[in-house]
Amino acid sequence: MKEKFLFCLFDGLRRDFVRQDTMPNLSTFRESWVDFPNSSSVFPSETRVQVSSFVTGAFPGDSKLSSENYSHYGHGVMANVFFDSNQSISGPLDTSNLEKMGKAEKYYGRIQKSKNLSEIMAAAGKDYSILTTGKIGNAKLLNLNANKLNQKVFSIWGADISSKAIDFGTIVNRFGPVPKQDLPNNAVTEYATDLLLNYFLETAIADVQVMWFNEPDLSFHYKGIGSEESLSSIQCLDKCFGRIVDWWSTEGTKDGWHLIVASDHAQISTIEQINVQRELSNAGFTVGDGLGDGNDIALKRSYSSQITVKNRDKILIQQILEFLHEQAWCGLTFSKTGENGALFMGDINVLNERSPDINFTLRTIDGANAFGYPGLCFADNPDIPIGGGVHGGLHRIELNNLLILAGEKFHQQKICNTPAGIVDILPTILWGMGLDIPSSVMGRPLMEAFEDHGDAPAWSDRLLSASNGRYAQNMLLSYVDGVGFPYLRGGHRTG
């Protein structure tokens, strides 16, 4: 019997919502199988970065650069939207903009530098299939080679975003048109579940099937974490997941299906919006979203922000860091050298030739929102209302993603406290299918979850600290034996 994997992801789901009173089906499932409570996202904890880490098993970057200023490891998708001065001076690459993605592919050769799941499956003669309700960039980055390799991708954004291997018209005729997106997005969630169970899994052709739900991420963003709308979304997701588990328990397991359930990241709540571009301009810096029009600074605005400076000017980088460290709204800061009060980018696996000169987050606080859910922050996301959820940074709550492994090969009722992460899902799938793991993979197969393997590897924590005057920060990393790159456990400004 072939070993197959269904990967079911709930975008933005926090672990503290997986309870018997909110998500009884998922809560019971987690208690029944292998749970990794210390699993974490990669940085930036933005969705399309996590997508790329899932399909490649790699962090965005490396821990060092070679003499040619080139990283050997990392998938290279540095944020949902990121500016690379090597590619352009006029503006950033939005990974949901098809025109810009096309130009980037011509420039880079590969948008995802590391070998990805679609390529691995095709080379092994295996079938890879995707059903996603995520944004355009989500669908594309889940499989950048879908048309070339004749693999199935269904996106709710239409036939042009779905792959040619999908008969979009036939699906719409059978299941009806994709419902209009709403908050909560329950109709789309239910539609996708129907499509998964009655189309994608009906023939069970795939060896790896992805089901990516865009909730509760949307409702958290725009209605708040714990709001009535978000709870409705959570309840709908749990009901739909119950249907998936019913199929898996009665039919799927007999056909060799294993089930991996995860979230890509969590969210924390916004307490104040800061216009960082205006703050920099008021301080005398010339700044825009690119380095054209006389700008010395290209700023990616977000709760998790990036700065690239003209000509990689070291003095200007130092001046910007000094300015940021004086601001009460500034959180963690990282640079390519780890000097002037900033931490080193290489320590959080984001160093490569596409990296900005400065990564920084806005400040986080450990208080609770209006609905009692902890984790607060300043943000620079003008589309998100005050009280709305955000992610992308390094707060321990937003980094702590859900990860559950289930099926014949795995233990039952086991909690594995070893640090793990989204980078480990690909190598775990490959290990379970008996396929070779590419050298570009930076994660590890979670062998302690398998029944026929031994104890979990040893691990240790390391606390990084940096300061500059009254500014101080720290970052907690976990190192697992046999893994050359650390897992991110959370950081915050301390002074």
Side-chain angles (χ1 to χ4, degrees):
M1 183 170 60
K2 293 196 304 182
E3 307 295 346
K4 297 185 284 190
F5 283 84
L6 171 60
F7 177 58
C8 183
L9 186 132
F10 303 109
D11 202 318
L13 179 63
R14 290 171 51 133
R15 287 184 59 91
D16 53 4
F17 276 85
V18 185
R19 313 187 304 263
Q20 284 295 327
D21 63 319
T22 50
M23 302 187 81
N25 291 317
L26 184 52
S27 178
T28 298
F29 181 81
R30 182 174 67 176
E31 293 167 1
S32 301
W33 294 99
V34 185
D35 179 29
F36 283 85
N38 289 323
S39 182
S40 60
S41 305
V42 304
F43 178 75
S45 53
E46 297 178 345
T47 295
R48 280 163 259 163
V49 181
Q50 310 311 308
V51 168
S52 295
S53 288
F54 158 59
V55 299
T56 65
F59 291 93
D62 204 338
S63 59
K64 58 185 178 181
L65 294 177
S66 70
S67 59
E68 294 82 19
N69 203 35
Y70 191 87
S71 65
H72 295 289
Y73 290 99
H75 57 64
V77 177
M78 308 313 295
N80 285 355
V81 179
F82 67 97
F83 179 81
D84 179 3
S85 59
N86 296 313
Q87 183 199 160
S88 169
I89 64 167
S90 59
L93 169 60
D94 182 344
T95 55
S96 263
N97 184 307
L98 296 184
E99 181 182 357
K100 289 189 175 183
M101 285 283 278
K103 291 179 179 178
E105 186 172 16
K106 289 180 181 178
Y107 175 81
Y108 290 131
R110 295 179 63 93
I111 291 176
Q112 289 168 341
K113 295 168 53 182
S114 308
K115 186 175 290 187
N116 58 48
L117 183 53
S118 66
E119 296 165 323
I120 298 167
M121 290 294 105
K126 304 289 186 180
D127 190 80
Y128 175 47
S129 174
I130 295 163
L131 168 55
T132 177
T133 65
K135 291 182 178 179
I136 292 171
N138 169 281
K140 291 301 182 183
L141 289 168
L142 279 168
N143 191 342
L144 288 166
N145 310 292
N147 289 329
K148 177 183 177 182
L149 298 176
N150 196 35
Q151 294 168 333
K152 291 181 179 179
V153 176
F154 180 92
S155 167
I156 63 168
W157 297 102
D160 291 343
I161 308 304
S162 302
S163 68
K164 294 176 182 177
I166 284 289
D167 191 341
F168 196 90
T170 297
I171 290 174
V172 169
N173 287 337
R174 178 177 169 185
F175 293 91
V178 177
K180 181 181 178 182
Q181 296 232 69
D182 201 359
L183 296 173
N185 211 22
N186 294 349
V188 171
T189 296
E190 291 168 348
Y191 181 91
T193 305
D194 288 341
L195 192 52
L196 174 70
L197 294 173
N198 300 314
Y199 181 82
F200 282 87
L201 295 175
E202 193 174 61
T203 55
I205 293 174
D207 296 288
V208 175
Q209 173 67 54
V210 173
M211 174 67 257
W212 194 292
F213 292 104
N214 66 359
E215 284 280 41
D217 190 73
L218 287 179
S219 293
F220 280 175
H221 275 314
Y222 298 105
K223 296 298 180 179
I225 300 165
S227 65
E228 180 179 346
E229 293 87 352
S230 72
L231 292 176
S232 174
S233 169
I234 291 288
Q235 291 162 3
C236 179
L237 287 166
D238 191 64
K239 180 180 178 181
C240 289
F241 181 68
R243 294 176 58 198
I244 294 171
V245 171
D246 287 344
W247 164 83
W248 179 67
S249 300
T250 57
E251 300 179 43
T253 53
K254 291 185 294 185
D255 291 330
W257 284 98
H258 296 75
L259 181 52
I260 298 180
V261 180
S263 58
D264 51 341
H265 54 74
Q267 290 196 23
I268 57 177
S269 302
T270 302
I271 56 172
E272 184 178 344
Q273 291 285 357
I274 305 294
N275 187 327
V276 175
Q277 181 171 332
R278 184 172 60 204
E279 296 288 326
L280 285 165
S281 296
N282 289 344
F285 297 101
T286 55
V287 56
D289 63 358
L291 292 176
D293 301 323
N295 294 326
D296 292 324
I297 297 172
L299 170 70
K300 176 236 175 185
R301 292 185 60 189
S302 180
Y303 154 59
S304 178
S305 298
Q306 298 177 340
I307 284 177
T308 302
V309 307
K310 190 173 182 179
N311 299 323
R312 308 290 189 181
D313 187 318
K314 293 181 180 180
I315 295 176
L316 182 55
I317 291 170
Q318 180 179 344
Q319 291 171 341
I320 295 167
L321 285 170
E322 289 174 352
F323 168 78
L324 291 173
H325 293 161
E326 291 171 355
Q327 311 310 309
W329 45 259
C330 179
L332 301 173
T333 59
F334 299 85
S335 73
K336 291 181 175 179
T337 60
E339 298 172 339
N340 306 117
L343 293 165
F344 177 47
M345 284 185 193
D347 284 328
I348 57 169
N349 312 314
V350 293
L351 189 63
N352 68 29
E353 67 280 2
R354 302 180 189 177
S355 301
D357 294 302
I358 298 170
N359 275 299
F360 71 98
T361 69
L362 273 64
R363 196 167 190 168
T364 61
I365 303 169
D366 286 332
N369 72 358
F371 305 103
Y373 287 91
L376 306 173
C377 68
F378 295 87
D380 189 7
N381 303 78
D383 62 316
I384 302 296
I386 299 299
V390 294
H391 55 93
L394 288 159
H395 191 282
R396 58 180 178 79
I397 290 175
E398 66 183 311
L399 282 176
N400 189 200
N401 71 307
L402 181 72
L403 180 57
I404 308 166
L405 309 182
E408 186 179 42
K409 282 182 171 285
F410 297 116
H411 288 286
Q412 296 186 35
Q413 297 179 321
K414 182 173 182 178
I415 296 174
C416 293
N417 287 309
T418 315
I422 200 159
V423 294
D424 299 326
I425 296 171
L426 171 66
T428 299
I429 290 173
L430 298 181
W431 180 272
M433 297 177 74
L435 300 177
D436 291 338
I437 298 172
S439 60
S440 58
V441 168
M442 301 166 74
R444 65 187 178 94
L446 298 171
M447 291 185 286
E448 63 268 37
F450 289 84
E451 279 198 322
D452 56 352
H453 285 81
D455 296 332
W459 58 282
S460 61
D461 287 338
R462 176 188 172 200
L463 185 67
L464 306 179
S465 299
S467 61
N468 184 10
R470 290 180 295 178
Y471 173 85
Q473 59 177 331
N474 63 36
M475 179 73 207
L476 182 64
L477 307 176
S478 290
Y479 290 83
V480 175
D481 284 3
V483 182
F485 304 89
Y487 296 91
L488 312 181
R489 302 295 299 280
H492 63 284
R493 179 173 173 173
T494 58

